[in-house]
Amino acid sequence: MPISIVVVVEVRLYREAVVRALSDQDDLRLLGEGDSARVALIEIARSQPDVVLLDLGIPHALDAVRQARAVAPETKIVALGFGGTDAEVVAAAEAGLGGYIGVHQPLDDVITAIRGVVRGEAPCDGLIAAALLRRVAARAGEVDSAPVLAELTSRERRILELLARGLSNKEIASELVIGLATVKTHVHAILRKLEVSRRGAAADVFRRAQVIGAGSRAA
């Protein structure tokens, strides 16, 4: 049975090019086309296609994706021409997109993506894949680092901060007006709690947590 498709692209010339490419494939069948999120939802609800090629540059595109998941849960949605920040990429993925194809990619790749998403694959433009991996890695770091740092006392956190700035034990003792032996005891406790064996590794954990925290605030 042919794969049924709805094409929703704002730019008419590109939409027509995609439609022509699809019409040349015996295993693909065009059910409808349009240029807006409203048209997309009407076509999806009416025809329940296997795949929707959706231009994420149209207004309210992500809202359309979310609503489409409700009215046609079996329909796979492949984004066309998507860019944006890492946070926007993750938001699009969480909305329910099944794949991403850049407008710079040849139409043969669009056809390959349609067949792939029906097979359960997640076709993805290289730049988008990289953005997703960066965000997944950042979130993993947030999950791993935050609870561990929460186990440190306020004094240990302060010492870890100074350690990450490159201060020696003697310099930390001078900065905090405490004994050198006390600093060594705290550093040993910090390494144990962070489950690392070197000062440099502990500093890396602290810096990663700071970067993640800054990214979360910016988002």
Side-chain angles (χ1 to χ4, degrees):
M1 181 179 294
I3 299 170
S4 57
I5 305 165
V6 167
V7 177
V8 183
V9 175
E10 187 173 33
V11 178
R12 181 176 177 180
L13 288 176
Y14 186 63
R15 184 174 72 250
E16 291 178 347
V18 171
V19 168
R20 283 196 301 271
L22 298 180
S23 66
D24 291 336
Q25 308 300 313
D26 294 336
D27 62 332
L28 306 180
R29 179 167 62 98
L30 181 69
L31 296 184
E33 59 178 285
D35 61 359
S36 69
R38 182 183 65 82
V39 171
L41 287 171
I42 291 173
E43 289 291 343
I44 292 168
R46 178 182 65 83
S47 57
Q48 300 283 308
D50 296 315
V51 178
V52 174
L53 296 178
L54 177 64
D55 174 9
L56 285 194
I58 65 176
H60 312 297
L62 285 187
D63 288 338
V65 173
R66 297 184 185 97
Q67 293 178 54
R69 302 301 299 154
V71 301
E74 300 302 317
T75 296
K76 308 295 184 182
I77 303 177
V78 177
L80 289 172
F82 184 60
T85 66
D86 289 4
E88 289 168 336
V89 170
V90 173
E94 291 176 341
L97 288 172
Y100 307 81
I101 300 296
V103 291
H104 61 281
Q105 294 181 255
L107 291 175
D108 285 347
D109 287 356
V110 175
I111 294 170
T112 298
I114 291 171
R115 293 169 177 151
V117 77
V118 169
R119 290 194 300 266
E121 300 171 4
C124 200
D125 175 275
L127 294 176
I128 299 300
L132 285 170
L133 288 174
R134 285 194 297 270
R135 290 290 289 183
V136 168
R139 290 186 173 189
E142 185 172 8
V143 170
D144 291 339
S145 299
V148 174
L149 290 183
E151 294 181 7
L152 302 182
T153 66
S154 58
R155 174 67 80 181
E156 288 167 350
R157 280 174 170 268
R158 178 57 177 155
I159 289 176
L160 178 58
E161 178 184 356
L162 296 175
L163 187 154
R165 285 167 47 187
L167 274 66
S168 66
N169 286 351
K170 185 176 180 179
E171 290 170 329
I172 293 174
S174 176
E175 175 78 16
L176 300 180
V177 195
I178 58 178
L180 181 57
T182 301
V183 173
K184 290 180 179 179
T185 298
H186 282 307
V187 170
H188 178 75
I190 290 168
L191 297 181
R192 176 176 53 78
K193 290 181 179 181
L194 298 185
E195 297 183 350
V196 296
S197 58
R198 297 179 296 104
R199 295 163 60 93
D204 287 341
V205 172
F206 177 81
R207 295 189 192 101
R208 186 166 64 246
Q210 293 298 104
V211 170
I212 292 169
S216 299
R217 290 190 295 272

